[in-house]
Amino acid sequence: MTTSAIDDVRYPLGRFQPPRNVTAELRDTWVEQFAQAPAKLRAAVDGLDADQLQTTYREGGWTVAQVVHHLCDSHMNAYIRFKLALTEEVPTVKGYDESAWATLPDASSTAGLDVSLRLLEALHERALAMLRAMGPDAWGRQYVHEEAGLRTLDLTLAIYAWHGRHHVAHITKLRERMGW
């Protein structure tokens, strides 16, 4: 498989591109994409059996089940980063080893898949109440990610709007390739 074919499977929507200019309309689009992620994820895994859920979306990649659990883990971290940035002056946030988290028992099997889906739905419902109530100045608040550096909440929203769509595409593209 060529590098571009691998990148197409690894990044079905392309790599994340940071926004140059953020408008209220663009932010509204990201909030809506973020809002849709749990339902799109649930639809993407609907009807998959245990073997299909243990299929990797690409060679060397995570299983479908791990992708679901990862979205839950990652978006929990995002929620905390938002809350820290909204309540502290430029806090420093810790990264985490996503690959190691994906191997833990709660994230490496199909057990608890519905729990992760429900948790993501509830988390997004709670996060959306916060995101939709934020005033224009709040989006410029910042935090320091210990690995990625200084980030605004605008950039964080853009990342997580893309992130949900990115991982849902891993599953939907796998289903297309496999004829599921």
Side-chain angles (χ1 to χ4, degrees):
M1 193 180 287
T2 66
T3 301
S4 64
I6 291 169
D7 279 351
D8 288 348
V9 173
R10 190 169 184 192
Y11 297 101
L13 304 178
R15 292 180 182 261
F16 174 75
Q17 297 296 319
R20 290 185 183 204
N21 292 321
V22 178
T23 63
E25 293 78 21
L26 186 54
R27 191 180 299 124
D28 288 345
T29 297
W30 294 332
V31 168
E32 186 55 32
Q33 289 171 341
F34 183 81
Q36 293 173 3
K40 290 191 177 213
L41 180 62
R42 186 175 284 280
V45 299
D46 186 50
L48 294 180
D49 64 32
D51 288 338
Q52 292 167 326
L53 291 168
Q54 288 301 327
T55 303
T56 58
Y57 73 89
R58 67 174 175 87
E59 186 177 326
W62 289 335
T63 67
V64 172
Q66 285 173 308
V67 170
V68 170
H69 296 307
H70 163 72
L71 270 168
C72 188
D73 291 341
S74 179
H75 288 213
M76 282 191 288
N77 275 281
Y79 180 66
I80 297 299
R81 291 169 185 165
F82 264 89
K83 291 188 77 89
L84 289 169
L86 289 169
T87 60
E88 299 177 17
E89 289 303 316
V90 193
T92 298
V93 301
K94 188 174 179 344
Y96 67 100
D97 185 339
E98 296 173 353
S99 295
W101 282 38
T103 65
L104 293 174
D106 68 320
S108 61
S109 74
T110 60
L113 195 71
D114 191 59
V115 172
S116 284
L117 289 167
R118 287 185 287 124
L119 181 55
L120 187 66
E121 289 162 352
L123 177 67
H124 275 232
E125 185 176 339
R126 177 108 182 248
L128 286 163
M130 176 181 62
L131 297 175
R132 289 179 173 146
M134 288 172 55
D137 293 341
W139 294 100
R141 292 194 59 92
Q142 301 173 323
Y143 64 91
V144 176
H145 186 287
E146 68 178 8
E147 297 163 0
L150 189 66
R151 287 191 168 165
T152 64
L153 292 183
D154 262 332
L155 177 60
T156 302
L157 176 63
I159 290 168
Y160 283 93
W162 172 85
H163 188 252
R165 293 176 16 260
H166 165 72
H167 283 302
V168 167
H170 282 148
I171 298 167
T172 58
K173 296 294 185 184
L174 172 66
R175 289 185 79 147
E176 288 173 16
R177 289 192 310 274
M178 301 298 281
W180 297 340

